[in-house]
């Protein structure tokens, strides 16, 4: 395989392509207690997160939307990552993940293992695509803050 | 087809490698590369001739003024303007259109009047009209397009009613490449007494433009799409209309005499050019005009038309390609989708192979909405492109298909 194809596959890893093709928890939650929209005006990526928060715990989470493979896979992975976590835990995840995606660094004090989310590491090499990967995480923060206004990457 | 392109070597940016691959630049509709002649003209001015224009009595100011006004003359001749006073230098198409919306339309528009545009327009030929409509209580009306990306002429003509005070229409669509049949459209508008502004940003770089023959009232275009520097552009307008329009911005250079009671405005075109202009950029734009004139716009048009046909043929042969925009007449641009790969993923994969295309909504969200798409991938040609560029594009698309298979 040529070198550039290998590098390209560092961004589009099998796990990413799998989540982009078959996003997990891709539905609307009619009984959501929290929700937020994420918009990336540059790309036109648009997604909606739905959460059921019960006694400070995320008992259900889902999303719907359309966008590039990176944004869809990141949102899909997000739903798997934060389900069943406490709100405080989920907020800590947002901080760890967005820092990882924007700087490539990992906080020593991180309270959770990035695990599968390391599959998104490739985007740190593509400045114009980092926002695609962080979009769902910004939306999660907005949903938990119930800020009201859509989260954007700008 | 003939693969030699002698003009390509004039553009230093094109000789570099991107990600270890030769740069294949297919994004000229966003911004065109500059020939060495433009780069040199700007550098020479900066190095030897810089001073403010229209002000000093010293040598450098004379030189700067001569170069700057020389560029105006070249531009006027390039589009066959009736006189140099009809040639207003602006920061680009966007400012040119805003100037007409605010200076020509705003004083004229009454509650219930209409401004007519089409679904094809770039945001810069939509939003300035929305703003002036909000300011005056006028209504913005929009002529539809069909699935090929052609403006529906019957509908457009039907919308040319008694309350329409302006028709603003693109020469060539930046998103779909549609070349509008301006002769028919302008003739119809003329018969109904409707002034016409043509957004020529995507027209001027690709074909000969003659504003007298077009018979429009305003023609707007940008320097950086025609191989000149960014932050430069032109509004051409009929002298009689420009004369009746109030200044758009106030400041230095647009006045003859200022007191606190009264200001006497300068003559055309300086009335619209407040403040120190983009002198070096405009001088560079003048050099771009020389460069284009030397080759000849008709030759450029023929080269690009043949190359566009080749691109359409090659893209159509790629399994899974959907051409977005298949208008009767197209120039420079082809938008497309490949399988269900999102345009941004495609853009990244292509960049990796040195192929630069534009992905997204192309500042024409309504066009994308009419096709039910969030955006497309868009390849656009300039005079320096050659069949090999199209071949590289197609090879890169095949690789994208492998990754997403």
């Amino acid at each position: 395989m040529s070198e550039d194809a290998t590098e390209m596959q560092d961004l589009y890893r099998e796990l990413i392509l799998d989540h982009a093709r078959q996003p997990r928890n891709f539905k609307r939650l009619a009984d959501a207690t929290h929700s937020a929209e994420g918009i990336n005006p540059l790309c036109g990526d648009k997604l909606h997160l739905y959460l059921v928060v019960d006694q400070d715990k995320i008992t259900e989470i889902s999303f719907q939307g359309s966008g590039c493979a990176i944004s869809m896979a990141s949102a899909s992975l997000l739903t798997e990552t934060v389900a069943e976590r406490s709100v405080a835990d989920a907020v800590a995840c947002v901080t760890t993940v967005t820092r990882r995606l924007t700087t490539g660094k990992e906080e020593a004090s991180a309270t959770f293992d990035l695990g599968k989310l390391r599959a998104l590491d490739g985007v740190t090499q593509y400045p114009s695509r980092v926002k695609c990967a962080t979009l769902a995480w910004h939306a999660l923060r907005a949903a938990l803050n119930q800020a009201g206004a859509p989260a954007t990457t700008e | 087809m003939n693969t030699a392109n002698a003009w390509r070597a004039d553009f230093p940016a094109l000789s570099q490698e991107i990600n270890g691959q030769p740069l294949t630049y297919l994004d000229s509709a966003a911004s065109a590369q500059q020939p060495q002649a433009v780069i040199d003209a700007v550098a020479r001015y900066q190095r030897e001739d810089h001073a403010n224009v229209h002000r000093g009595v010293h040598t450098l100011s004379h030189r700067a003024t001569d170069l700057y006004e020389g560029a105006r003359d070249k531009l006027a001749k390039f589009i066959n303007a009736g006189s140099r006073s009809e040639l207003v230098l602006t920061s680009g198409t966007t400012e040119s259109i805003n100037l007409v919306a605010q200076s020509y339309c705003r004083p004229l528009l009454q509650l219930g009047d209409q401004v007519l545009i089409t679904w094809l327009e770039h945001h810069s030929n939509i939003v300035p009209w929305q703003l002036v409509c909000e300011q005056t209580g006028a209504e913005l009306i929009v002529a539809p397009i069909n699935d090929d990306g052609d403006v529906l002429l019957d509908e457009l003509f039907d919308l040319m009613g008694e309350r329409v005070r302006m028709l603003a229409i693109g020469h060539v669509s930046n998103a779909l490449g549609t070349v509008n049949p301006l002769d028919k459209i302008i003739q119809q508008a003329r018969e109904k007494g409707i002034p016409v502004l043509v957004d020529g940003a995507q027209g001027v770089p690709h074909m000969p433009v003659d504003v007298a023959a077009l018979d429009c009232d305003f023609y707007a275009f940008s320097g950086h799409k025609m191989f000149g520097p960014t932050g430069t552009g032109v509004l051409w307008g009929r002298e009689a209309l420009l004369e009746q329009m109030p200044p758009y911005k106030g400041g230095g250079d647009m006045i003859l005499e200022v007191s606190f009671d009264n200001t006497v405005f300068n003559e055309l075109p300086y009335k619209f050019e407040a403040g120190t202009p983009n002198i070096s950029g405009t001088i560079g734009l003048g050099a771009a005009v020389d460069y284009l004139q030397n080759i000849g716009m008709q030759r450029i048009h023929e080269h690009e038309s043949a190359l566009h046909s080749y691109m359409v043929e090659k893209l159509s042969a790629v399994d899974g390609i959907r051409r977005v925009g298949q208008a009767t007449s197209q120039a420079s641009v082809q938008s497309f989708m490949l399988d269900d790969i999102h345009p941004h993923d495609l853009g990244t994969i292509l960049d990796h192979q040195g192929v630069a295309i534009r992905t997204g909504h192309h500042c024409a969200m309504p066009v994308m909405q009419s096709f039910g798409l969030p955006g497309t991938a868009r390849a656009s040609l300039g005079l320096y492109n050659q069949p090999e560029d199209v071949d590289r594009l197609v090879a890169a698309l095949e690789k994208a298909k492998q990754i997403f298979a």
Side-chain angles (χ1 to χ4, degrees), chain B residues 185-216:
Chain B
I185 293 169
I186 293 170
Q187 189 195 347
Q188 193 71 210
R190 250 307 124 264
E191 280 171 19
K192 296 183 174 173
I194 299 170
V196 181
L197 174 138
V198 177
D199 167 0
Q202 303 290 346
V204 162
H206 306 295
M207 59 194 71
V209 169
D210 179 333
V211 292
L214 271 177
D215 202 26
C216 56

Side-chain angles (χ1 to χ4, degrees), chain A residues 78-101:
Chain A
L78 174 148
T79 62
E80 287 193 333
T81 305
V82 303
E84 301 294 321
R85 283 183 191 269
S86 71
V87 168
D89 242 15
V91 171
C93 289
V94 172
T95 307
T96 307
V97 173
T98 51
R99 185 170 152 79
R100 173 81 178 180
L101 292 172

Side-chain angles (χ1 to χ4, degrees), chain B residues 315-345:
Chain B
L315 282 177
S316 302
V318 176
D319 194 31
I321 279 275
R322 171 184 168 200
R323 279 174 63 213
V324 180
Q326 307 190 20
T328 316
S329 173
Q330 277 182 297
S332 171
V333 166
Q334 184 61 60
S335 264
F336 58 91
M337 303 294 284
L338 178 60
D339 295 327
D340 55 358
I341 305 175
H342 191 278
H344 273 88
D345 295 317

Side-chain angles (χ1 to χ4, degrees), chain B residues 65 92 145 211 239 281 316 321 323 349 367 387:
Chain B
T65 303
I145 56 175
V211 292
E239 193 162 342
S316 302
I321 279 275
R323 279 174 63 213
I349 296 170
V367 180

